[in-house]
Amino acid sequence: EVQLVESGGGSVQVGGSLRLSCTASGYPYSRLYLGWFRQPPGKEREGVAGGYTAGGGTFIADSVKDRFTISRNNSANMVYLQMNSLKPEDTAMYYCAAAPSFNSFLRRDGNYWGQGTQVTVSS
């Protein structure tokens, strides 16, 4: 059974920082793409950041690339999202997601999902 366990959400003021963590276990495939989506209230879920746990380049959405950083602990199947200079528009439920490839991840084609962690940014 695939499990994605997230932590690190919360409430901050504009300009603050948060760090999200996700640990994946039980993944049935040898190649794992692990990352983050977010879903603001009343909006579609969108990809934020991700990367293969085996290493290589990472993906960061244009809307956050100057403020968010993704990092990995490949041996532990963990991924982190460092979020700096947070804005009210970053308020959303953030979901960890696992997929067999980058393309599958972005298309949400067969993704496994965590339970989500709420990030709220207030002015």
Side-chain angles (χ1 to χ4, degrees):
E1 180 185 358
V2 176
Q3 285 194 318
L4 300 174
V5 179
E6 303 134 328
S7 62
S11 297
V12 295
Q13 292 191 323
V14 169
S17 297
L18 286 172
R19 187 185 192 224
L20 306 183
S21 301
C22 174
T23 303
S25 62
Y27 195 74
Y29 305 110
S30 59
R31 189 172 68 165
L32 173 62
Y33 197 94
L34 197 59
W36 296 92
F37 280 74
R38 68 182 181 183
Q39 188 165 17
K43 296 187 178 181
E44 294 275 324
R45 194 172 294 191
E46 61 178 358
V48 177
Y52 287 104
T53 56
T58 56
F59 154 73
I60 294 280
D62 287 343
S63 57
V64 302
K65 64 180 179 180
D66 295 329
R67 301 181 293 118
F68 292 9
T69 303
I70 187 167
S71 58
R72 297 161 289 187
N73 181 334
N74 295 335
S75 62
N77 278 352
M78 294 185 69
V79 65
Y80 308 95
L81 186 67
Q82 179 66 43
M83 305 184 295
N84 298 327
S85 302
L86 283 161
K87 304 176 180 180
E89 52 262 44
D90 296 317
T91 295
M93 185 70 79
Y94 283 70
Y95 296 92
C96 184
S101 71
F102 170 62
N103 286 335
S104 296
F105 175 84
L106 279 189
R107 291 197 308 261
R108 292 175 279 173
D109 182 8
N111 284 7
Y112 294 93
W113 299 98
Q115 79 282 3
T117 185
Q118 179 67 37
V119 171
T120 302
V121 184
S122 57
S123 56

